Amino acid sequence: MPNEWQSVLDEIKNNVSEMAYEAYFVRFNFVSNENDTLIASVPNVFIKAQIEGKYHNAVLDALKSSKYKFKDFKVIIDNKDNKTTVKRAVEITPDNTPVSTFSKKIIIPTPNYDSKRLSSDGNGLNPKFRLSNYVVGSNNDLAVSAAHAVIENPGMRYNPYFIYGGPGLGKTHLIQAIGNEILARNPDMNVLYVTIEQFYHEFVEAMRKKLDGFSEKYRKVDVLIIDDFQFIANKEKSQDEFFHTFNELQQHDKQIIVASDRLPAQIATIDERLASRLMMGVPIDIQMPDFETRCAILKSKAELLGAEIDDKTVEFIAENVRNNIRDLEGKLNQILALAELRGVPAYELIDDSYITQSNIQTKRKTISVKQLIDKVAKYYNLSSKDLLGTSRIKNIKTARQISMYLMKEELGLSTVEIGRELSKDHTTIMHGIKVIKNNLKTDFNLREQITDLRQKIYTS
């Protein structure tokens, strides 16, 4: 039913953003119609989780408006042409040798990468970082959509490709995945991944020993991927060298990919010329994933580990670990390892003191509104009365809006309940929360403050 299916896809395209459609639905294929239920396929578990979760209603609406009046749909993974048996637990080494394993084997879709090509050419790329195992959510869908554009035409769009966000949010995974995907499609391309620290130390060593070839190494690549760019702060000569490397590559339409914890202008002592050039390609922000995306990440990580995990445990971890993805994965590994050691299902460990004692956010339900307000007030050298009052002085107003945001995010209160606590109408609360959410996208200092406040709220 190619024509009818295309009309369904067109309807979905009208119901979701262009970025979401490109990320999830270009590989959403019709399989069959069984008792008014659509069976459709996607290439991997990550896209399946997003369509079944976040975009469930959008797909249902499109299906109900189609000629066949589908009442429901089911998503399956189509990996018949591209399967690999994976048996792994902690991680894969560069040569794809399992370093430790669970007994369970799983079948997952894997791109046709030449692992020797990706790991033996000195390009710095780790073959385990791939788009097929990168979970896409509202926190990173723009970054992933732009990544697809870079992969399709390196050097033509989003050049430089600059992403920024706090530590542990998947920036390294994404930029290395771009490099791996470009190499998979263009094996003859010269792709190089380095951290800015590696760039700096090589540069210093070349100057100290008066070695030739440093500039040529970086200026002859087709794709240059730089990680942890924020550490270029206070390295003036390295900034100057990178500035000239940047210019040389861009003049020849070579792709530049940069990841940083913060925007260029927020990096201390950075050269204004360099900061300006890095902002040319539309910098893209990556934030902490929402609850649904955290659940999808945990399920996919467990699947890659070859381990079974129940929804109760997944939701427990996703609810209580909200700092970054590294902490999320760390808690998953901790629970799975302890469950295997004790020979019990993972959900039996949820209330185990060994699991909860290192996770301060399990205390979140015991925090009162008064305690939260007192902590925020103290953090900003204000009184609780200031936050509960009507003053519109900027620092008091901002602290009050941060309190609103934390009441919503940490205590799960509705805008009406927050308004009742602060003696404000719910539209004021909605506005205050929206202001903080928007500012978190670009204000790195505010992110640090929110993270610091979360730690202080849950500690005595």
Side-chain angles (χ1 to χ4, degrees):
M1 50 174 296
N3 294 332
E4 290 82 359
W5 180 241
Q6 186 57 51
S7 68
V8 171
L9 293 177
D10 290 341
E11 186 65 25
I12 293 174
K13 195 170 187 178
N14 291 331
N15 293 340
V16 303
S17 69
E18 181 181 352
M19 291 180 295
Y21 186 84
E22 291 180 0
Y24 309 118
F25 294 102
V26 293
R27 292 168 288 178
F28 188 48
N29 298 318
F30 174 84
V31 175
S32 64
N33 175 16
E34 299 178 5
N35 299 322
D36 295 326
T37 296
L38 164 75
I39 308 298
S41 68
V42 294
N44 58 57
V45 66
F46 314 103
I47 294 178
K48 179 178 186 291
Q50 293 299 310
I51 291 177
E52 290 181 334
K54 186 175 180 179
Y55 298 100
H56 183 269
N57 290 338
V59 174
L60 271 185
D61 290 343
L63 293 177
K64 289 176 181 178
S65 66
S66 70
K67 175 183 177 181
Y68 287 90
K69 305 294 182 185
F70 295 106
K71 294 179 180 179
D72 202 356
F73 71 95
K74 179 180 178 181
V75 181
I76 62 174
I77 298 173
D78 178 12
N79 55 10
K80 62 181 182 297
D81 296 323
N82 198 16
K83 292 183 180 179
T84 183
T85 299
V86 177
K87 183 177 133 181
R88 56 184 174 181
V90 181
E91 82 175 12
I92 295 296
T93 57
D95 62 354
N96 267 359
T97 303
V99 294
S100 61
T101 63
F102 289 94
S103 58
K104 179 180 174 62
K105 287 187 178 182
I106 60 171
I107 302 294
I108 62 168
T110 302
N112 290 319
Y113 291 105
D114 181 345
S115 60
K116 292 183 178 180
R117 161 69 181 164
L118 295 182
S119 61
S120 63
D121 286 1
N123 55 36
L125 294 170
N126 188 328
K128 78 172 183 177
F129 291 131
R130 298 164 181 169
L131 284 182
S132 64
N133 57 20
Y134 188 77
V135 178
V136 184
S138 58
N139 63 308
N140 60 17
D141 53 1
L142 177 59
V144 173
S145 294
H148 281 291
V150 170
I151 291 165
E152 291 293 336
N153 294 288
M156 297 295 103
R157 295 183 62 190
Y158 298 101
N159 194 22
Y161 175 90
F162 186 96
I163 58 172
Y164 67 100
L169 296 183
K171 300 186 299 298
T172 295
H173 186 147
L174 181 56
I175 61 176
Q176 289 214 34
I178 295 173
N180 283 329
E181 187 65 38
I182 289 174
L183 268 183
R185 299 186 182 202
N186 308 281
D188 294 328
M189 273 196 168
N190 186 356
V191 178
L192 178 63
Y193 165 89
V194 294
T195 66
I196 202 66
E197 282 291 301
Q198 290 174 278
F199 181 89
Y200 163 73
H201 286 300
E202 284 186 36
F203 177 59
V204 170
E205 190 72 1
M207 287 196 302
R208 187 175 70 85
K209 295 183 178 180
K210 298 181 180 178
L211 301 175
D212 295 327
F214 174 84
S215 295
E216 183 178 4
K217 171 184 175 179
Y218 286 94
R219 298 181 192 185
K220 295 298 182 181
V221 299
D222 298 304
V223 181
L224 177 61
I225 306 172
I226 299 289
D227 204 355
D228 292 325
F229 186 76
Q230 68 276 5
F231 293 122
I232 204 168
N234 301 314
K235 298 178 175 67
E236 295 180 5
K237 289 188 176 180
S238 294
Q239 289 184 33
D240 191 55
E241 176 65 23
F242 185 75
F243 172 80
H244 293 299
T245 298
F246 183 102
N247 285 343
E248 178 72 15
L249 292 175
Q250 195 169 62
Q251 286 174 8
H252 291 87
D253 294 326
K254 305 300 183 182
Q255 181 67 50
I256 302 162
I257 298 171
V258 180
S260 173
D261 277 5
R262 62 199 71 189
L263 287 166
Q266 296 170 328
I267 299 173
T269 71
I270 192 169
D271 185 284
E272 290 185 7
R273 301 172 304 164
L274 179 55
S276 175
R277 278 164 172 74
L278 288 169
M279 295 292 285
M280 290 169 56
V282 186
I284 302 171
D285 176 42
I286 292 182
Q287 296 189 43
M288 183 62 186
D290 56 24
F291 174 77
E292 290 79 6
T293 307
R294 295 199 297 275
C295 287
I297 290 171
L298 287 165
K299 288 182 178 180
S300 63
K301 294 288 185 185
E303 183 170 350
L304 287 172
L305 295 173
E308 294 183 358
I309 187 166
D310 58 280
D311 289 343
K312 184 178 180 180
T313 304
V314 166
E315 291 174 4
F316 168 79
I317 300 173
E319 180 71 18
N320 291 292
V321 181
R322 313 198 301 166
N323 290 331
N324 59 58
I325 296 171
R326 289 192 192 120
D327 290 349
L328 199 70
E329 187 173 1
K331 185 59 66 178
L332 171 67
N333 289 336
Q334 182 188 37
I335 289 178
L336 290 178
L338 191 59
E340 185 180 41
L341 181 66
R342 295 184 181 179
V344 299
Y347 66 82
E348 290 188 13
L349 300 174
I350 288 177
D351 297 322
D352 191 287
S353 60
Y354 179 77
I355 294 296
T356 59
Q357 65 184 356
S358 62
N359 186 5
I360 60 173
Q361 295 212 37
T362 56
K363 301 178 183 178
R364 68 193 300 263
K365 294 182 180 179
T366 67
I367 301 297
S368 68
V369 172
K370 183 180 184 305
Q371 288 173 315
L372 187 148
I373 291 174
D374 289 344
K375 295 275 188 177
V376 174
K378 183 177 180 180
Y379 185 82
Y380 290 105
N381 295 317
L382 300 170
S383 69
S384 297
K385 289 183 178 180
D386 289 329
L387 300 189
L388 296 170
T390 59
S391 173
R392 298 186 64 81
I393 296 175
K394 185 176 180 180
N395 65 319
I396 296 177
K397 182 180 177 182
T398 299
R400 186 183 298 127
Q401 290 174 334
I402 289 172
S403 297
M404 298 172 186
Y405 172 80
L406 291 173
M407 286 183 202
K408 176 71 173 176
E409 295 295 315
E410 303 304 311
L411 305 185
L413 299 182
S414 68
T415 55
V416 174
E417 290 171 324
I418 297 171
R420 191 179 301 125
E421 296 288 346
L422 297 177
S423 299
K424 302 286 188 295
D425 63 81
H426 79 281
T427 56
T428 300
I429 303 301
M430 289 173 63
H431 172 73
I433 293 172
K434 184 178 180 180
V435 167
I436 298 302
K437 283 185 174 180
N438 288 338
N439 288 345
L440 281 171
K441 295 178 181 179
T442 56
D443 191 335
F444 186 80
N445 290 328
L446 179 60
R447 289 187 191 182
E448 290 182 330
Q449 291 171 24
I450 295 290
T451 299
D452 199 20
L453 270 168
R454 282 189 169 120
Q455 297 289 330
K456 292 182 181 301
I457 287 170
Y458 296 116
T459 54
S460 59

